Amino acid sequence: MPDIQVILADLGWPLAVAVAWLSGEFVHRWTRLPRISVYGLIGFVLAQVFPDALSSGASSNVTVLANLAFGLILFEFGYRINLHWLRINPWIAVSGLAESAATFGVVYLISHLTGMPPLTSLLLASLAMSTSPAGVLRVINEEDSSGQVTERVLHLVAINSVVAVFVFKVVVGFWVFQTSGSLTQAISHSGIELLVSAAMGALMGFLVPAVLRRLGALAQDGTIAFALGVILLVAMARAFDVSPVLATLTFGLAARHKRVAFSRTERNFGGIGELLTVLLFVFAVTTLEWDRVVDGAGLGLALVLARFVVKALSVGVFAHVSGISWRKGLLTGIALSPMSVFVTLLLEQTKYMGIVLVDELAALAAMTLLLEVIGPVITQRALKWAKETHEEEK
């Protein structure tokens, strides 16, 4: 007789992805809720029922595929960022930095007042600053959203994600220095690491368009070339222990400013990109345990509410000076809710250093689950209230 445990281990991830995809399609058609919210909910339930079948290590094939999926999304996200617009209207960048700083300060204060150690509070605050590019971009593409709020959300997500990565790496550097006494390690996982990551992405953003122009195949082979570039970049980032987040984001940014066309038909990198997206959002919650979510539920909910209010008000304050109404400014801040995928993969990367931070942050588990399911719904609602979705335009 075949061993049921072995069969479940072999079929666990394919079945989980299939069930999540089917559930996402049915629920989206019935309720119009974002598919990724369903992927996350189904992934979490399956991970609690079949924990052994959906286990994954830092070097497992599933983790590699999840990082690749995130890299593809970050490339497309970076491609949509217009640095020229930020130069013309610097108040957008100012509002992004102010919003990130305010979120960091409030989350740190609440965490510290509840008795959490200072270093742990700093880690939680640095992660809370971020907004998941994957969650936001997926909702925008699904709703075919466009307009002032949509574009500002994209640029603000890019700003606070880069700031979050930088601050997180600095805090982790202090953590390493405190535990190992090695100043070299502390420095290597902060500013230098981010500079190397950005340089790698910029170099790939120069090489791939150059090769495509040389081949004269921009229209036919662009998607494949960019996807291969992302694969190489993610692999190189893992090999050299630098940030794949900043590397792939910079790759997309550099490719855009090399004036390479990336057509609407290539959104999400086609069918394979869609499949990897399902795996990514299922993977993001399989690292969470029910007991840890329950333990951190109280503080996690308080931090989610504080983060939501601070982001909305911080962006809203700069609405008029940046050229939009108070209402659209508040909606832009509200749309910055998703966080989970970004946080999960950032924490996974620290495991290469022997640091398992999830065990220290029970509140983060609750925040991750809540914002995996609710965050995309809030973003979708904000875009609809701003009348920038395809549904509203009909």
Side-chain angles (χ1 to χ4, degrees), residues 304-365:
V304 166
L305 291 174
R307 177 181 178 272
F308 176 82
V309 172
V310 170
K311 283 184 176 290
L313 293 180
S314 298
V315 178
V317 164
F318 291 93
H320 274 185
V321 294
S322 65
I324 57 174
S325 65
W326 291 111
R327 179 177 179 275
K328 287 196 171 183
L330 287 172
L331 290 175
T332 301
I334 289 170
L336 299 175
S337 294
M339 184 185 81
S340 54
V341 170
F342 185 91
V343 167
T344 299
L345 293 183
L346 208 57
L347 290 174
E348 283 294 315
Q349 291 159 23
T350 63
K351 291 182 180 179
Y352 300 125
M353 302 159 56
I355 303 173
V356 185
L357 299 174
V358 177
D359 294 336
E360 305 289 334
L361 303 171
L364 184 62

Side-chain angles (χ1 to χ4, degrees), residues 91-341:
W91 284 109
I92 297 174
V94 171
S95 64
L97 294 173
E99 170 262 308
S100 299
T103 302
F104 180 89
V106 169
V107 171
Y108 175 81
L109 181 62
I110 294 174
S111 303
H112 192 57
L113 290 176
T114 59
M116 193 173 288
L119 196 56
T120 306
S121 298
L122 287 172
L123 286 167
L124 188 56
S126 67
L127 292 170
M129 282 194 296
S130 68
T131 302
S132 176
V136 168
L137 185 62
R138 180 69 190 195
V139 172
I140 287 173
N141 284 349
E142 193 172 87
E143 297 297 324
D144 197 20
S145 178
S146 61
Q148 284 186 324
V149 172
T150 301
E151 292 305 314
R152 284 166 189 265
V153 167
L154 287 169
H155 287 72
L156 290 175
V157 170
I159 291 168
N160 65 31
S161 294
V162 171
V163 172
V165 170
F166 175 74
V167 175
F168 177 77
K169 293 294 183 181
V170 170
V171 175
V172 170
F174 281 122
W175 185 299
V176 171
F177 176 67
Q178 187 182 68
T179 55
S180 70
S182 171
L183 182 60
T184 303
Q185 274 189 296
I187 295 173
S188 66
H189 288 92
S190 55
I192 293 176
E193 178 184 339
L194 297 184
L195 288 174
V196 173
S197 304
M200 288 170 57
L203 180 61
M204 190 67 72
F206 171 80
L207 289 177
V208 173
V211 170
L212 287 173
R213 286 196 174 93
R214 183 69 176 174
L215 294 174
L218 280 173
Q220 297 88 348
D221 303 325
T223 304
I224 296 174
F226 287 131
L228 288 174
V230 170
I231 292 172
L232 288 172
L233 202 52
V234 170
M236 289 167 60
R238 288 169 61 89
F240 291 104
D241 195 22
V242 296
S243 172
V245 172
L246 190 56
T248 48
L249 190 63
T250 306
F251 179 24
L253 191 65
R256 176 195 176 99
H257 289 82
K258 293 298 289 183
R259 298 294 187 267
V260 177
F262 193 67
S263 69
R264 289 172 59 86
T265 58
E266 294 166 321
R267 274 187 177 181
N268 301 320
F269 284 88
I272 295 299
E274 294 282 352
L275 176 61
L276 288 175
T277 297
V278 181
L279 182 143
L280 173 64
F281 283 91
V282 172
F283 171 83
V285 291
T286 57
T287 58
L288 306 177
E289 299 175 6
W290 175 251
D291 291 341
R292 198 173 303 283
V293 170
V294 172
D295 290 343
L299 178 57
L301 181 59
L303 293 177
V304 166
L305 291 174
R307 177 181 178 272
F308 176 82
V309 172
V310 170
K311 283 184 176 290
L313 293 180
S314 298
V315 178
V317 164
F318 291 93
H320 274 185
V321 294
S322 65
I324 57 174
S325 65
W326 291 111
R327 179 177 179 275
K328 287 196 171 183
L330 287 172
L331 290 175
T332 301
I334 289 170
L336 299 175
S337 294
M339 184 185 81
S340 54
V341 170

